[in-house]
Amino acid sequence: MAQSNKVQQYWNTRGLRESLDDHSRLGGSAGFREHPVWFGALPPLLERPAGGRVIRRIADMGSGTGIIAEYLARLGYEVIAVEFAESRARLAEQRLAPYPMASVRVGDVADPPIAPGEIDAVISRNLLWLLPDPLAVLERWALLTGKNGRIAAIDSTRRLDHRKRRAGLTEFSKHLLSKKKPAAHSAQLLQTSAAPLANIRTPDESAGYWRQAGLLNVSAQDLSWITAVKEHYEHPVSRYLSVSKYYSVIGDCP
Ligand SMILES: C[S@@+](CC[C@H](N)C(=O)[O-])C[C@H]1O[C@@H](n2cnc3c(N)ncnc32)[C@H](O)[C@@H]1O
């Protein structure tokens, strides 16, 4: 099976086990993805687009269960959530059902089911760091919004010893708990192994890809205020493993 199909299958299987009202897994860290702190992170990503472009319609790429799409809908935007795992797209549909201006499309963010000019902006959270070719994806997104469209993403830097720590814990838990490797771990490693943004130290390394994609007015912001809230919620073991620090990058299309 091709790598991208395996990744899609992983997320689809994960979606089959999820429900919209399960906020308590992983000692609160999963619930953190829906914490109101994220609500405050979104408006700055959409401020002052080039040429005074008015932003009305936004694509939430790799929407998962539609958390960010819902926040955008609540802020009054028209939203198209794009997600390739059917099960997660169905959950996003459930979540977005109360918002008539929000919809979900099943598709790959590398070739999204969106026509050029259909949207004014693209937002993604926790997506680009998973992708094998973020540069190609950014170039593709720029064609969707056209001139002065806004591309924005929230992601996280990861320390280079992240995987070593995880691997160590996996070994330890194998002895302690079972002989089996947890499925989620192996799938996550599978995705990060070929993703250039999975092991960066500074937000500027990510911004470099945006500049290479030809985006203008590129700037990276540290979102340590969000990281701080996340750490507050985490179980000490998850906190030890979760060495990621949130940041955002924005850019305007030429
Ligand atoms: C870490 S989750 C983040 C979900 C959501 N953006 C959020 O922050 O809650 C990554 C999501 O991106 C989706 N995804 C990964 N690669 C994708 C691709 N190439 N095309 C579409 N969706 C993708 C996964 O299925 C998963 O739902």
Side-chain angles (χ1 to χ4, degrees):
M1 194 190 289
Q3 180 81 348
S4 63
N5 287 349
K6 280 194 210 163
V7 173
Q8 186 174 5
Q9 198 180 63
Y10 160 74
W11 285 107
N12 201 45
T13 306
R14 188 162 152 168
L16 292 172
R17 289 194 232 109
E18 287 174 305
S19 77
L20 292 187
D21 49 16
D22 180 4
H23 303 292
S24 58
R25 288 176 306 118
L26 310 174
S29 149
F32 170 71
R33 294 198 303 261
E34 300 185 45
H35 192 281
V37 74
W38 292 108
F39 209 40
L42 298 178
L45 301 181
L46 299 166
E47 274 170 7
R48 292 188 292 280
R53 169 116 178 215
V54 177
I55 295 178
R56 290 200 188 89
R57 287 207 251 174
I58 305 175
D60 174 18
M61 297 291 190
S63 69
T65 66
I67 299 166
I68 294 298
E70 181 180 20
Y71 282 163
L72 292 169
R74 286 171 60 193
L75 286 167
Y77 293 102
E78 289 178 45
V79 193
I80 302 170
V82 177
E83 169 57 52
F84 72 174
E86 284 267 354
S87 59
R88 302 199 102 203
R90 297 290 86 90
L91 289 168
E93 272 169 0
Q94 271 178 44
R95 187 191 295 279
L96 297 172
Y99 306 94
M101 303 300 267
S103 58
V104 180
R105 297 185 191 174
V106 176
D108 195 322
V109 299
D111 185 18
I114 292 179
E118 207 182 340
I119 51 172
D120 304 300
V122 171
I123 282 191
S124 70
R125 179 181 71 172
N126 297 342
L127 172 76
L128 286 176
W129 76 275
L130 295 169
L131 300 181
D133 193 350
L135 177 60
V137 166
L138 288 166
E139 286 169 347
R140 183 78 181 76
W141 291 354
L143 299 177
L144 299 179
T145 66
K147 190 173 166 61
N148 297 334
R150 170 60 55 85
I151 311 290
I154 295 172
D155 261 298
S156 48
T157 57
R158 275 138 218 281
R159 289 223 313 254
L160 295 170
D161 58 0
H162 178 73
R163 276 189 246 159
K164 249 194 240 160
R165 280 194 196 185
R166 270 204 178 281
L169 195 88
T170 303
E171 281 306 308
F172 178 67
S173 61
K174 263 201 269 180
H175 287 295
L176 207 64
L177 302 169
S178 80
K179 296 283 170 213
K180 272 192 165 176
K181 208 173 181 179
H185 272 186
S186 35
Q188 265 151 15
L189 290 179
L190 174 95
Q191 294 168 66
T192 56
S193 59
L197 294 180
N199 265 322
I200 58 169
R201 285 181 186 272
T202 67
D204 264 338
E205 289 176 57
S206 180
Y209 280 77
W210 295 60
R211 294 190 183 98
Q212 235 182 299
L215 293 162
L216 307 173
N217 311 318
V218 174
S219 67
Q221 304 294 327
D222 173 60
L223 298 178
S224 51
W225 50 285
I226 294 187
T227 308
V229 176
K230 177 171 188 256
E231 287 177 353
H232 173 75
Y233 272 77
E234 277 176 334
H235 184 278
V237 176
S238 309
R239 199 179 307 144
Y240 171 72
L241 288 171
S242 168
V243 287
S244 53
K245 311 273 180 221
Y246 289 108
Y247 68 89
S248 63
V249 181
I250 61 174
D252 294 320
C253 300

